[in-house]
Amino acid sequence: VPLSFMQGKLFLLDGKLTAAEARLDWAFRTCHPHAWNNRRQILILLVPCRLRLGRAPRARLLKEYKLDFYTSIVASIQQGDVRNFQEALDEFRWTFARWGVLGVMEKTKLLALRNLAVRIFAAKKK
């Protein structure tokens, strides 16, 4: 599990998101259920990776592992609310930088912009 975690982190920093997601997902699934801190550390990297790939985590999972700072970002992306996304990103910028996921989180802004465009297009169509 530690090797997969480190490989996933390296792939994430190199921008190889699908490889990072595969390694981190395997590490999370095979990590002992009672190793709460280890599972949380894996999720800290896995959530931004999956967000960038367009897959949002469930709110229950974020709450269970006390990753509430991702909740507002996930909601902003899903609603296409770019202003709230930027405010949440600015609020937790140093936290994301410390974990090494700031670059990935900044790139998820494109998903919020895409969802905003989809909502505008759907509103115009009606």
Side-chain angles (χ1 to χ4, degrees), residues 16-117:
K16 300 174 182 173
L17 295 176
T18 53
E21 195 264 341
R23 301 308 284 167
L24 292 169
D25 182 56
W26 184 87
F28 184 74
R29 285 185 290 110
T30 58
C31 190
H32 194 278
H34 296 298
W36 187 85
N37 286 328
N38 292 347
R39 292 173 69 88
R40 185 176 188 272
Q41 289 298 320
I42 295 167
L43 282 174
I44 285 171
L45 299 178
L46 186 58
V47 167
C49 184
R50 284 197 173 157
L51 278 175
R52 184 72 176 98
L53 292 171
R55 288 181 247 142
R58 294 194 170 117
R60 184 179 55 97
L61 181 70
L62 297 176
K63 190 175 233 181
E64 180 182 344
Y65 287 98
K66 297 185 178 167
L67 299 172
D68 297 327
F69 44 86
Y70 282 129
T71 305
S72 59
I73 288 179
V74 170
S76 298
I77 288 172
Q78 290 173 338
Q79 296 167 0
D81 191 346
V82 180
R83 183 182 335 136
N84 282 342
F85 174 86
Q86 192 61 48
E87 288 172 1
L89 186 64
D90 289 341
E91 182 180 350
F92 298 109
R93 181 170 299 278
W94 293 109
T95 305
F96 295 142
R98 187 178 73 222
W99 290 329
V101 296
L102 181 60
V104 177
M105 292 305 295
E106 286 178 341
K107 290 178 183 175
T108 59
K109 184 176 185 177
L110 294 173
L111 296 173
L113 287 168
R114 180 195 70 186
N115 290 342
L116 175 63

